[in-house]
Amino acid sequence: MKNGIFAAINIGASAFRMHISEYLNGEERTLEYLIKPFRLGRDTFTKGYISLESVYASTDILKKFKIKMDEYGVKKNYVAVCTSGVREAGNQAFFINHIRQETGLELEVIQPSDEIYIKFVSVKNDIEDFDDYEKEGVLLANISSGNIAMAILKDEQNIYSGALPYGSLRLRRIFGDIPARIRYKAYEQYVEKMCYSMKSALPVGCKLKYFVSAGSSLNVLLNIFKPKKNMLSRKQLEELYDRVKQLPRDNIQSVMNIRKDEASVLVPTLVTYLKLMDFIGTDYVRFSSMPFPHMLSLFYTKTVRDRGFFNRVRNTVYALGERFNMDREHADTTVRFSMKLFDALKPLHSLGRAEKFILEAAAVLSDVGYYIDSVKHNQHSYYLVQSLQIPGLPRERVKLVSYLVLMHNGDVDKWFEQKYHYFPIEKQLLIKKLVSILRIADSLDASHMNIVQDFEVEMQTGKVVIKAKCRSMAFLEKHAFSEKSKIFTDTFGIPIELETRILYE
Amino acid sequence: MSVSPYINRELSWLEFNRRVMMEAVDSSVPLLERLKFLAIFSSNLDEFFMIRVGGLRDQIEAGYTKLDASGSTPEEQLEHISAKAHELTSLRQEIFAGLKKDLEKEGIMIAPTLTANLDDITEAIFNEEIYPVISPVTLSSNNPMPFIHNLRLCLYVLIKKDGVVHHSIIILPENLRRIFRVKLDKTYFLFTEDILTKYLNIVYPDYEVLDSYFLRVTRNADLTLDEEESDDLLISIQNFLKSRKKGGICRVETDSRLPQEILDHMAAHLHFSHNDVYIIDDIIDMTSLFSVAGERPDLCYPPFKPVLPEHIDGGANIFEQIKKQDIIMYRPFHDFGLVSRMVAAAAADPDVMAIKMTLYRANKNSTILESLIKAVKNGKHVSVVIELKARFDEERNVDWANMLEEAGCIVTYGIAGLKIHAKNLMIVRRESGHVVRYSHMSTGNFNEFTAGIYTDIDYITADDDVGKDSAAMFNFLMGYTDIGTWNRFYLAPKYIKPKVLELIDEEIAFAKAGKEAKMIVKVNAIIDRTLMDKLIEASCAGVKIELIVRGICGIRAGIKGVTENIRVRSIVGRFLEHPRIIYFHAGGKKRVFFSTADWMERNMDRRVELFFEVMKKEGRNFLFNILDLNMRDNQKVWMQKGSEYVKVKGTKDKLNYQDYLIENNDKLYSLKAKL
Amino acid sequence: MASNDSVRVAVADIGSNSLRLQISEVKDKSYRVLEDYKEMIRLGDAIYTLGYFPKETIETLVNTLNNVRRLAESKGCRTIRAIATAAFREADNLGETLNIIEQECDIKIEVISGQEEARLTYLAASANFELKDRHALITDIGGGSAEYTLVKNGSVEKAKSLPLGCNRLTREFLDGDPPTSAQILAMKEHIADFIDKMKLGRGIEMLICTGGSMNNVGYICHYKDKVLRDSFVKYVERKFLKKFISDIRVKTTEERIKIEGMEEKRADIILAAAIQTDMILEETGIDGFYTLTGGLRAGLTIDTINKMGIELPFQNSMDGVRYSRLIEIGNKFDFDEAGAFQVEKLAKMLFDGLKDRMGLIERDWALLEAAALLRDIGKHIAYSKHHKHSYYMIKHSELVGYTHEEIEEIASIARYHRKSMPKTAHDEFISLSPEMQLRVEKLAALLRLAIALDRTHKGLIDRIEVTVTATSIDIKPISDKDITLEIKDFERNRDMLVKLLKLPVRLV
């Protein structure tokens, strides 16, 4: 981030928060941190929309935040993100529009996967040996009032990522009418169910070692325990749980000397932590005490970076392929070929590293649709890729990958005519360029037999020639090539030819 | 029966007011200043009746019977108060009589007998000033008694016509001047009521004036009590408060000549008892003496000019100096004008982005507020948190609020239910891309007038941790945030008391471990029950406790086995002692704090107050010196003995610390006090 | 890459028109198709004109089979089981051809009889349709012959191979382009002779057509619906067939090709197949027929698996094919079996108690049952939005014993088992017919309650008693455990049912 003052606003389900930082020569300094507890989620989680009253109350809070920004002369240098309280509200658009009109603030709604990713990047930069955790298996849980967003990392892969509707405020709302004395049992059962869902979503036998928490739920625990290190033990939490699980909120509030809103979510929060510790089999929960808006600030100003991002996303993409029984050999070959083509054809397409990675991901994932059915497997691949959430990989990129896998075989023109004609022309072109390369790479191993060992790309006058070295006659490859290369010619305006040469046998 | 370690709050306060009055007999105090102390005493006592006595009456009417710390019911307390107030009132008359004589020797005649040489003047005053504005009310069965306003002086007149005696009342209008200064051979201060008495026959032309008497009633002030009282009391009389009759009578002052049957008649109609009657055969309402107090500079304290500490350059860039070193000052010896000039500089400084301050009591023509308005015009972001409920200053603060708002300041009025008593000022400045926050914290108001008569600490720093806290505090007060995280500030209502208790506990632990354990508490009042009990616990554990309490102190020191390690002293002098400075030995770490909070429930639980530890060596030493000088003062100190205070004047090594600092304020930086 | 405990099977079916390869993975008593590969070779053109395979045709065969073999090997299959049907059966140089192929391609082709062909087709049909208590006719109108298989009560009663392949019929009768009415009439008479001999009668409830031409008809019929047109099983109403016939019989081949969905190489022969099928419908009085894609191949795959000593669940007489297939699909996507059964059980009790009140019929249970079992398979993709994933996966998993519409309904019921209720903004939902929509709503309402009553996933409720009165529905869960959470969740989920029944639904 260039020097200046940056404001990060988070509109959460239970509070509005703003963090103001000064950036000077790459150093961040927190100037201010504001918190206005406000239960936006109370409306959203029970009624499904934000009541007008709450819209007005939110406006008042944000007006004040805006004054604060003016004080520092923050103009466009801010980000204001909404999480579940707004995300799940039916009248989201009205809310955002009203805030814009009244305060001039542009709100952005972020997805749970983005949220957890920002936290992941922050935690990675904040917890010293997090890289080890990533190798040995870590559950990163963003336990907030609305949702629990989780990312599981192991062997430097993202093996699970998802958001479950088990936030503490939500739990509190669901079981509000059960008597306090036995309500904890309901929480326990409910959270067990969540762990069950998680377990079924994980690869069999997947063992984790660390538990890192990063949500707003942490605040109440920090207020109570005031831990010196960024760690809490199961014993501490269990003792506290036994003390408070049957108490009514008001008692909890006075006994623990915490705020009312904190008291009301303490028990569900503890249940969630303890059950997750059981789930992982650890006795400790680690955390970063950095508040979310602070993380937002560092993230959006690019002050913290995701070291190893490409590597991890790549690992994750391959792991997804494995999950859907991809033909690893074929995938490797397709990747190798498409990367080689991408590099060799650079003068033609002039695309960069990010696009190259989209191509790689598509090469890995193009056949995962076989998992659902072999008929129209490309469409199933498309569906599966669309359903993927890879933290840190913007949705738009995931979509690009899905278009590529869809069109890696079949009639490209048809898709463009029927489905993607409304895309901006640049985007269409980008997809066509990558699809052209992917289809050629795919056709070069059409038999899945690795017949084409390697190839050279020659840019001749008026045509591109691929000179392939083969183990044996590449019938299928040639056939597929002739079928699949049309889009290449259409896209780049230059024909491409395949010459095969048998090396031995 | 063992002696209670607690002293009733009201009685302790009356004792404090006695100390104020006793300044009037201190021969080292100039004559007119002594007169002023009587005026202060009187003004204080009026307020006491309106608020404290009024409050006790509310309690009784609401049926609240809980005992106070010292074990008295509200009725018993009223009895004790009445006895002591009668005693003090009589004493005041004696003292006044003495001062009056002394002043006559100086040619200053206060409420003299209206001799013939004054006739021309009194007649003119009567005709020009008095007669046009008075309206007598003659009592009848239809009109047995008019409403008599609080603290309004009245004449009760007996008149006769056609053999029938009529009763009449003249209530002196509020806008009527009380004193007329006449300079002839001597300077005469003529009182309106004396002149009016003299010309009553003109007021009642067709009647024969038989006699007249002075009368003044003090009513229960219609203040809501939430600020003053403890929570449990509030809850029990809450409902009553809604329905109580406004302004019942707490005190009746009259002269001794008033016939008993008239008094009885009035008591029946105005609902007061004989205990509430105070006989005063001289000037009723001595607060009027303030207007005499400035009469002759040679009979007042010699003037002095506050100065800047030697190491501060008034001409140079103030911000550069603060960044180099924190500034600590002691008003009124040091010049509060530095703060005003800092704000003025900020208003004009292009690098300043924002100025924020709290406003509790500002003076008229405040240069600080003028600077704020200039700052807004210069495009700065100016925020002011105004406490509207500062007692008796409400109106002035509303005016200020409107003016600031019109100018474009962001004005907020604090948090519901919490009076804002912390006094902070923050200047946000951008210096080569870096935001620097200058924080000013004080135990005194931003009031350039009281800055000259109250003693207070001013502390200015550019420390970023403090800056963060200042920013957070303003955010909190302005409703931008509800939760603050604090590095250096401890703020009431949530954090001061627990912190103080924690610090005392630490001393207790040291004492129990056989180590040196000591604390010095300089505040204006100690009455918070939790804190008192903790002090008693500490005393029992062997912690040496020095309490320097200007006003109310609910602890009775020196009870064997209970409070024997506690000493209580009180300083009453030329300047009103105002800072709160708390010192803990802390096992040799010697921690020292200043604060805006007295040790009263209202400060700890219902106000926003600041408690701040001074960490820098220079600042600590500065505060040590103040405490040390307080302890060494042997001219203005009263020591608590039993339930009373006695002044123990030293005869050698005389030290009146306030006087000493007028001449030697820089010693606060250079002395090396050993506490 | 094949995992350790799975085996891959490749089968090839060399028909008169095309050569098709199917590669499947067999695992845990189930299989899934990995690859379907098709090459049009039109052997029939030569056989039905020359009567033998000319040299060029054999060359094409060898090349194609070599490609196919490589493809199969690349997929981890050791061998290919290849069968050939009518075209081979009738080739004069059959032995020579088989020898050449065996030498050049290392593939031994089994030339199967029409009977065997019928049996294999039946195997495939029984994997896709619930044939247990039904009378059905399966036809496979190929290029040369047409296989008729008559199924009664779940077993093959008789199978006949008739010389009614559509290539053959077209060449013999429909010489004109377009054919004349007289030509068509002659063909119909020829066909009628054979059909009469079959003595089909009126007892047949169901006609299933395999074979490329009729599949093409199904494809054209559903061309507008891209999901439907690609599904294995399609239903075609006779109404459509009649219109289709009257439409194309006057068209030249050139003109027919322009019809959307028409396979170019079938445009000439498709009429013969269509007419033949219509005649069967006429004869049996059925209103429409099902098409089954890849019937012979699928049967061949199943037969091959059987030969490996593995019997597939639907072949197990204890459970219906339909049900086994549901469990198979559930297993494929790692469903929680115990949980699924518990919800199924509760749903059944609710269904039985409420079906009359709700105007549901017994058949509807089959839909609810499938949805109850498969509602969560979407979790295999991702937890979030898993109901939507379930929808997609159910729609694309080849359920057996359900019509296309029914599968659509099952997918929708599963989709509405959680989160939002059906809305007009949901495209898939509004594309259902009003009756289907209503049925989906009813069944989803029951499913939600059944799920709620197993909220803890612990199977705490043994039984439910449903009492329907004029003023309320009383539901009484029988359990000796703590079912607080279930009760709570029930209360939250009963709105949909209350809305539908316009009666209070109480938990007693």
Side-chain angles (χ1 to χ4, degrees), chain B residues 486-503:
Chain B
W486 310 102
N487 304 296
R488 296 282 307 275
F489 282 12
Y490 298 92
L491 291 178
K494 229 173 148 181
Y495 300 107
I496 298 185
K497 205 196 277 192
K499 183 65 191 175
V500 170
L501 291 172
E502 180 193 319
L503 288 161

Side-chain angles (χ1 to χ4, degrees), chain A residues 108-172:
Chain A
E108 187 185 320
V109 178
I110 60 166
Q111 297 305 313
S113 58
D114 300 328
E115 199 177 331
I116 188 89
Y117 180 65
I118 292 167
K119 293 192 174 171
F120 164 76
V121 176
S122 306
V123 165
K124 199 172 158 69
N125 280 273
D126 198 42
I127 294 183
E128 214 173 300
D129 40 1
F130 195 80
D131 288 352
D132 294 340
Y133 297 9
E134 261 184 87
K135 286 192 190 88
E136 293 175 60
V138 57
L139 168 70
L140 173 66
N142 179 36
I143 305 167
S144 64
S145 28
N147 289 310
I148 304 185
M150 282 184 274
I152 294 177
L153 293 114
K154 195 177 178 179
D155 303 330
E156 292 173 81
Q157 285 169 23
N158 206 97
I159 55 176
Y160 175 83
S161 162
L164 306 170
Y166 289 84
S168 50
L169 178 57
R170 196 191 294 263
L171 256 59
R172 182 68 177 70

Side-chain angles (χ1 to χ4, degrees), chain B residues 97-319:
Chain B
L99 282 176
K100 197 171 162 178
K101 277 201 190 97
D102 289 348
L103 285 164
E104 277 170 12
K105 285 178 210 152
E106 297 287 342
I108 295 172
M109 315 297 285
I110 300 171
T113 315
L114 300 180
T115 46
N117 62 328
L118 297 166
D119 278 0
D120 288 352
I121 286 174
T122 55
E123 198 178 342
I125 291 173
F126 176 77
N127 285 321
E128 299 286 319
E129 303 279 342
I130 302 175
Y131 190 52
V133 296
I134 56 165
S135 40
V137 179
T138 301
L139 306 184
S140 65
S141 53
N142 287 337
N143 189 11
M145 186 63 64
F147 183 81
I148 304 175
H149 291 276
N150 183 34
L151 298 181
R152 194 77 62 75
L153 194 62
C154 307
L155 252 66
Y156 197 101
V157 191
L158 291 181
I159 48 178
K160 194 175 172 186
K161 190 182 184 182
D162 306 332
V164 183
V165 177
H166 298 274
H167 297 228
S168 180
I169 287 185
I170 303 170
I171 303 171
L172 298 191
E174 206 175 6
N175 52 4
L176 180 57
R177 270 171 66 184
R178 182 77 199 289
I179 290 180
F180 297 89
R181 177 173 172 271
V182 180
K183 202 161 159 66
L184 298 169
D185 52 330
K186 293 168 181 167
T187 307
Y188 297 89
F189 289 90
L190 306 178
F191 279 64
T192 302
E193 62 264 33
D194 292 339
I195 299 171
L196 175 59
T197 306
K198 184 171 171 165
Y199 295 100
L200 278 174
N201 56 333
I202 299 174
V203 179
Y204 302 98
D206 301 331
Y207 295 78
E208 179 194 348
V209 177
L210 299 177
D211 206 347
S212 67
Y213 323 97
F214 298 137
L215 181 70
R216 190 174 80 139
V217 300
T218 309
R219 290 180 180 270
N220 189 346
D222 291 332
L223 288 172
T224 47
L225 292 182
D226 56 355
E227 233 272 311
E228 296 287 332
E229 299 298 347
S230 59
D231 284 334
D232 62 335
L233 172 64
L234 268 185
I235 292 160
S236 28
I237 69 169
Q238 213 164 30
N239 294 328
F240 165 71
L241 279 177
K242 282 179 205 146
S243 63
R244 82 164 168 197
K245 290 192 295 290
K246 302 286 177 189
I249 288 176
C250 317
R251 179 175 65 168
V252 176
E253 291 163 291
T254 183
D255 34 278
S256 53
R257 295 173 304 110
L258 184 75
Q260 190 60 42
E261 61 269 25
I262 294 179
L263 198 57
D264 289 346
H265 173 78
M266 282 201 298
H269 280 283
L270 297 177
H271 308 287
F272 59 84
S273 75
H274 289 284
N275 258 350
D276 303 327
V277 178
Y278 292 76
I279 305 298
I280 295 167
D281 282 329
D282 211 309
I283 304 170
I284 292 185
D285 183 8
M286 288 197 197
T287 58
S288 51
L289 296 176
F290 279 120
S291 39
V292 183
E295 178 58 26
R296 283 251 306 277
D298 63 309
L299 296 178
C300 294
Y301 288 124
F304 88 101
K305 200 173 174 295
V307 294
L308 281 181
E310 269 173 15
H311 61 279
I312 294 170
D313 180 350
N317 183 324
I318 179 77
F319 299 115

Side-chain angles (χ1 to χ4, degrees), chain C residues 150-371:
Chain C
L150 199 58
V151 178
K152 273 198 174 162
N153 297 323
S155 59
V156 177
E157 198 187 64
K158 64 177 166 193
K160 270 246 183 296
S161 183
L162 307 174
L164 299 178
C166 49
N167 272 25
R168 181 194 296 259
L169 291 174
T170 305
R171 281 186 207 287
E172 287 179 9
F173 296 95
L174 309 180
D175 202 20
D177 188 20
T180 64
S181 296
Q183 289 168 344
I184 290 172
L185 222 59
M187 179 182 78
K188 284 178 83 168
E189 269 177 34
H190 177 73
I191 295 170
D193 284 347
F194 287 93
I195 291 180
D196 283 350
K197 279 180 205 149
M198 280 296 292
K199 294 198 173 57
L200 296 173
R202 290 254 154 182
I204 293 170
E205 303 156 272
M206 196 180 187
L207 172 64
I208 302 165
C209 302
T210 70
S213 295
M214 287 318 293
N215 272 311
N216 195 202
V217 173
Y219 187 80
I220 293 165
C221 175
H222 294 290
Y223 187 77
K224 293 277 180 249
D225 182 332
K226 58 185 187 311
V227 177
L228 201 49
R229 77 180 184 213
D230 291 330
S231 69
F232 273 162
V233 177
K234 293 186 263 295
Y235 183 73
V236 180
E237 291 184 23
R238 189 171 174 208
K239 251 191 332 215
F240 174 83
L241 187 64
K242 280 178 166 310
K243 192 180 161 291
F244 177 73
I245 292 168
S246 67
D247 192 25
I248 63 166
R249 60 182 284 177
V250 295
K251 285 189 171 164
T252 61
T253 308
E254 276 303 296
E255 287 166 342
R256 289 180 196 171
I257 288 170
K258 294 198 180 90
I259 293 171
E260 279 186 321
M262 179 72 78
E263 279 180 54
E264 201 179 324
K265 291 176 183 172
R266 293 193 190 277
D268 49 349
I269 58 174
I270 199 164
L271 182 63
I275 289 174
Q276 184 176 169
T277 304
D278 188 55
M279 290 173 72
I280 297 169
L281 293 175
E282 177 69 39
E283 176 73 16
T284 53
I286 306 173
D287 291 335
F289 63 93
Y290 290 95
T291 64
L292 175 62
T293 315
L296 184 60
R297 260 178 347 278
L300 183 60
T301 298
I302 295 165
D303 187 61
T304 310
I305 293 167
N306 288 164
K307 286 202 162 90
M308 290 157 64
I310 299 168
E311 188 162 68
L312 295 173
F314 66 85
Q315 297 176 304
N316 183 328
S317 55
M318 276 172 64
D319 262 330
V321 179
R322 181 184 62 77
Y323 190 75
S324 325
R325 180 71 182 146
L326 294 177
I327 303 304
E328 238 177 271
I329 291 170
N331 276 325
K332 174 174 163 189
F333 297 114
D334 294 334
F335 77 148
D336 161 27
E337 196 165 326
F341 288 155
Q342 173 70 5
V343 169
E344 182 202 0
K345 181 179 95 178
L346 297 173
K348 176 72 172 149
M349 292 172 196
L350 287 170
F351 180 85
D352 288 345
L354 290 167
K355 67 173 188 229
D356 296 339
R357 184 66 185 75
M358 295 178 80
L360 294 166
I361 57 164
E362 198 53 48
R363 173 66 186 166
D364 297 333
W365 165 243
L367 307 184
L368 179 55
E369 179 181 54

Side-chain angles (χ1 to χ4, degrees), chain B residues 539-640:
Chain B
S539 163
C540 294
V543 180
K544 299 283 178 215
I545 301 167
E546 300 285 354
L547 305 180
I548 310 170
V549 187
R550 184 192 78 206
I552 300 164
C553 177
I555 289 187
R556 183 196 289 249
I559 304 172
K560 198 143 183 54
V562 185
T563 55
E564 62 175 314
N565 287 314
I566 300 178
R567 275 200 299 177
V568 181
R569 71 184 69 211
S570 174
I571 295 178
V572 177
R574 172 175 179 177
F575 305 114
L576 186 75
E577 288 295 318
H578 197 249
R580 293 81 173 177
I581 304 172
I582 327 285
Y583 165 87
F584 297 91
H585 185 67
K589 270 197 281 180
K590 301 193 179 187
R591 302 177 69 174
V592 66
F593 301 79
F594 68 80
S595 173
T596 58
D598 283 318
W599 286 19
M600 303 174 86
E601 265 110 7
R602 67 169 190 207
N603 302 81
M604 292 294 172
D605 303 335
R606 283 187 297 280
R607 283 183 174 185
V608 178
E609 305 260 13
L610 175 67
F611 184 71
F612 181 79
E613 181 170 13
V614 175
M615 316 273 261
K616 295 264 170 63
K617 199 174 135 223
E618 305 83 1
R620 282 155 47 85
N621 189 51
F622 187 94
L623 294 177
F624 292 165
N625 285 332
I626 293 174
L627 288 177
D628 183 54
L629 287 167
N630 268 259
M631 304 281 290
R632 280 166 43 208
D633 190 307
N634 55 15
Q635 294 301 305
K636 291 291 173 187
V637 162
W638 297 75
M639 298 300 296
Q640 192 199 58

Side-chain angles (χ1 to χ4, degrees), chain B residues 308-501:
Chain B
L308 281 181
E310 269 173 15
H311 61 279
I312 294 170
D313 180 350
N317 183 324
I318 179 77
F319 299 115
E320 290 306 318
Q321 296 190 60
I322 298 167
K323 262 196 297 190
K324 243 177 262 159
Q325 195 183 1
D326 291 357
I327 293 176
I328 188 167
M329 301 196 299
Y330 198 36
R331 297 186 220 166
F333 315 104
H334 292 130
D335 186 5
F336 178 66
L338 178 76
V339 177
S340 309
R341 289 196 293 277
M342 177 173 77
V343 179
D349 186 333
D351 292 329
V352 166
M353 304 161 77
I355 305 172
K356 289 159 189 266
M357 68 179 289
T358 58
L359 187 60
Y360 187 70
R361 283 186 178 158
N363 54 308
K364 285 181 190 163
N365 311 320
S366 161
T367 60
I368 292 184
L369 296 191
E370 277 164 21
S371 298
L372 291 184
I373 290 166
K374 267 185 210 144
V376 175
K377 290 190 179 131
N378 289 340
K380 323 262 172 242
H381 200 93
V382 177
S383 314
V384 181
V385 181
I386 293 190
E387 177 51 64
L388 287 181
K389 282 182 303 187
R391 197 195 289 161
F392 309 126
D393 278 349
E394 280 110 326
E395 235 168 276
R396 182 181 302 161
N397 282 353
V398 169
D399 290 346
W400 274 119
N402 291 339
M403 207 171 107
L404 290 167
E405 234 165 17
E406 268 169 40
C409 293
I410 295 166
V411 178
T412 56
Y413 301 96
I415 302 157
L418 294 178
K419 206 161 167 176
I420 296 164
H421 200 238
K423 300 129 197 349
N424 287 47
L425 165 68
M426 182 171 78
I427 294 168
V428 185
R429 195 162 179 259
R430 200 195 290 260
E431 298 172 2
S432 41
H434 197 67
V435 170
V436 182
R437 284 178 284 217
Y438 297 90
S439 306
H440 169 254
M441 291 150 285
S442 179
T443 61
N445 294 309
F446 292 100
N447 185 316
E448 288 146 331
F449 172 69
T450 58
I453 52 173
Y454 287 24
T455 61
D456 271 307
I457 304 292
D458 282 296
Y459 195 93
I460 312 174
T461 181
D463 182 295
D464 195 43
D465 279 345
V466 177
K468 258 186 209 160
D469 285 4
S470 283
M473 190 184 96
F474 280 106
N475 290 339
F476 177 65
L477 294 179
M478 299 180 77
Y480 296 166
T481 188
D482 286 0
I483 299 153
T485 45
W486 310 102
N487 304 296
R488 296 282 307 275
F489 282 12
Y490 298 92
L491 291 178
K494 229 173 148 181
Y495 300 107
I496 298 185
K497 205 196 277 192
K499 183 65 191 175
V500 170
L501 291 172

